[in-house]
Amino acid sequence: MSVVNTVLLILTLFFALIALYQYKLIKDFNKSQELMEKIKEKLYQTSEKVLMTENEDEIYSIVLNTAVDLIPNGTNGSILVMDEDENFHFKVVRGFHEDLHDLVLKKEEVYLNSVNKFKETAIIENPRKFDEVNTNAETINELRKRDALNIYCTISAPIYIDNKLIGLLNVDSSKPECRFTKKELNLMNLIKSELQIALKNAFAQNKLKYLANFDELTGVMNRRRFNKEFSIEMEKIKQEGKEFSLVMIDVDEFKAINDTYGHNFGDKVLKCFSSLIKSYISETDIIARLSGDEFVILFRNCIGDMAKERMDKITDIISSKKINGINISFSHGICEVRDFDNITAEEAIVLADTKMYSCKRSKRI
């Protein structure tokens, strides 16, 4: 073979190798693009699910399942939520016993705190060893009893909403041969970023839904929600012969309390007042804040002496409590509503309101 033919053969092989390498690059790129499209589609579906869900635990479960499903070799996972004392609680888990929810980790026992103060996602190559060294003996025993230490590698990501740390997202692998790499870490960061946006939107949306139905200060129903529930109860009277008592309530001398001690103290009075009442009515009853210091209670299947006895008990409880050394009292009026009374919702409210103001006037005599 001549030198020229040899050179041509070498060049042909060289360019063939280049073409083959380029083909592999293009193939890997296309495969990577297809994977990214699948990931984006999965994250989009997750965001849609999260926005349609009101229950907080379900929202976190959707987020966790998405992360575990998308991270190669991910088998288990957990989301821990940080409380006001900076302790971490297991909110949702996958692949672990549900009673992990009972455990609490101190901030100092969390891996991300020790390696980067929760600044970024990190790989824990031997999570069991870290836990055994950094977690107190009692917690380790509890984790061991729940088979929660049988993991060989973990990717842990901090969850931030509005620049505030709210918790941790962990994806674990129970495969002995598994070692997460930079590739999985980058994927986790992509997933985390998208899921943080979904969580933020869901929480904002659910807060709006909450505020549409509940009073932000006291946490009891607001007027809008109560009117809806009241209409339902009125309909039940007609159709099912149900009965209930409607109680209108007004805190005595509330304006004087605000003027004397300030509006912050007035807010505290309303919160404590509504909380006390809520703790002494049954779960089937309703309490709502209508406006200012005006509240309403709806006692289901309760009329006559029974309703009066309940209100007498609540009156005794309120009068026995002091808020910053101040005694609080209230006036109330009861209207019984039965199927044969032929009374409208508006008439029932006016009647209870009239009795309440009559009670208030009698205290001034």
Side-chain angles (χ1 to χ4, degrees):
M1 182 181 290
S2 67
V3 174
V4 173
N5 287 338
T6 301
V7 171
L8 287 174
L9 179 60
I10 292 172
L11 287 173
T12 300
L13 289 171
F14 176 72
F15 286 117
L17 287 172
I18 290 176
L20 186 63
Y21 178 69
Q22 288 178 333
Y23 171 77
K24 186 178 184 303
L25 285 178
I26 293 171
K27 187 176 180 181
D28 289 344
F29 176 78
N30 289 336
K31 188 175 180 180
S32 176
Q33 287 294 98
E34 289 177 7
L35 178 61
M36 287 305 298
E37 288 302 317
K38 288 180 180 179
I39 291 171
K40 287 179 180 178
E41 179 63 24
K42 178 73 172 178
L43 291 174
Y44 174 77
Q45 292 172 357
T46 296
S47 297
E48 290 292 300
K49 284 183 183 178
V50 165
L51 285 174
M52 296 293 290
T53 305
E54 295 185 11
N55 182 276
E56 190 173 295
D57 287 349
E58 288 183 25
I59 289 174
Y60 281 118
S61 289
I62 293 168
V63 168
L64 177 60
N65 287 330
T66 298
V68 176
D69 289 343
L70 289 178
I71 297 292
N73 294 313
T75 57
N76 307 46
S78 60
I79 289 182
L80 291 86
V81 175
M82 188 172 71
D83 63 20
E84 294 179 354
D85 297 322
E86 296 189 335
N87 293 321
F88 288 84
H89 303 256
F90 286 89
K91 187 70 173 177
V92 291
V93 297
R94 172 168 162 179
F96 298 110
H97 292 292
E98 287 296 321
D99 55 3
L100 266 181
H101 294 130
D102 301 333
L103 295 186
V104 177
L105 297 180
K106 295 180 180 179
K107 184 179 179 180
E108 297 74 24
E109 297 174 319
V110 177
Y111 181 79
L112 282 188
N113 179 65
S114 66
V115 294
N116 59 38
K117 302 300 181 185
F118 304 105
K119 291 180 181 178
E120 58 187 11
T121 305
I123 296 172
I124 312 173
E125 294 185 352
N126 193 338
R128 180 170 188 158
K129 181 178 179 181
F130 174 84
D131 288 337
E132 289 175 344
V133 172
N134 295 277
T135 307
N136 70 68
E138 183 181 350
T139 303
I140 281 292
N141 288 333
E142 293 299 324
L143 289 169
R144 190 175 287 114
K145 283 194 291 186
R146 292 164 171 81
D147 295 325
L149 295 176
N150 297 328
I151 50 177
Y152 296 89
C153 201
T154 297
I155 301 182
S156 185
I159 304 173
Y160 282 87
I161 294 181
D162 293 329
N163 297 317
K164 179 182 178 182
L165 178 68
I166 67 163
L168 304 172
L169 169 61
N170 295 327
V171 174
D172 311 302
S173 180
S174 59
K175 299 177 181 179
E177 73 282 359
C178 173
R179 293 295 179 270
F180 291 128
T181 66
K182 183 77 173 177
K183 182 179 178 181
E184 285 78 36
L185 187 142
N186 290 336
L187 178 56
M188 181 67 145
N189 280 329
L190 172 64
I191 294 168
K192 183 195 76 167
S193 296
E194 294 296 323
L195 295 183
Q196 281 179 160
I197 295 172
L199 282 172
K200 179 180 178 179
N201 292 338
F203 291 157
Q205 181 173 285
N206 286 347
K207 184 176 181 180
L208 288 175
K209 289 179 181 177
Y210 176 83
L211 293 177
N213 292 286
F214 294 90
D215 178 56
E216 187 173 18
L217 176 66
T218 62
V220 301
M221 284 186 188
N222 58 20
R223 180 189 288 271
R224 177 181 177 274
R225 175 65 181 273
F226 174 75
N227 287 339
K228 183 178 178 181
E229 295 292 330
F230 190 37
S231 296
I232 293 172
E233 291 303 313
M234 292 298 292
E235 195 62 32
K236 286 181 179 178
I237 286 179
K238 297 176 185 176
Q239 296 180 359
E240 304 173 24
K242 299 287 186 181
E243 57 189 18
F244 63 81
S245 289
L246 184 72
V247 185
M248 298 297 289
I249 294 174
D250 190 272
V251 179
D252 293 334
E253 305 298 337
F254 185 69
K255 184 179 184 304
I257 291 173
N258 268 338
D259 293 342
T260 305
Y261 303 101
H263 289 280
N264 286 339
F265 182 76
D267 287 348
K268 184 176 181 180
V269 167
L270 294 177
K271 289 170 71 174
C272 292
F273 180 76
S274 59
S275 179
L276 283 170
I277 293 178
K278 191 175 181 180
S279 64
Y280 285 97
I281 64 175
S282 69
E283 292 183 359
T284 58
D285 298 328
I286 294 173
I287 176 174
R289 183 185 179 197
L290 300 183
S291 65
D293 60 332
E294 294 183 355
F295 294 83
V296 61
I297 299 175
L298 193 152
F299 289 126
R300 289 188 171 104
N301 300 315
C302 173
I303 60 171
D305 291 339
M306 187 184 297
K308 185 179 182 303
E309 286 173 7
R310 288 193 185 184
M311 288 310 302
D312 287 343
K313 183 178 180 180
I314 290 173
T315 299
D316 291 340
I317 290 164
I318 298 293
S319 63
S320 68
K321 304 290 183 180
K322 287 188 177 183
I323 302 173
N324 286 18
I326 305 299
N327 285 109
I328 304 299
S329 63
F330 67 94
S331 301
H332 70 275
I334 303 174
C335 175
E336 299 173 8
V337 184
R338 295 159 294 195
D339 59 338
F340 54 80
D341 286 332
N342 196 27
I343 188 173
T344 66
E346 292 77 12
E347 289 170 340
I349 290 174
V350 169
L351 184 56
D353 212 35
T354 300
K355 290 183 177 181
M356 183 269 290
Y357 279 108
S358 176
C359 173
K360 188 175 286 286
R361 283 193 298 270
S362 69
K363 293 181 179 181
R364 296 171 181 166
I365 298 173

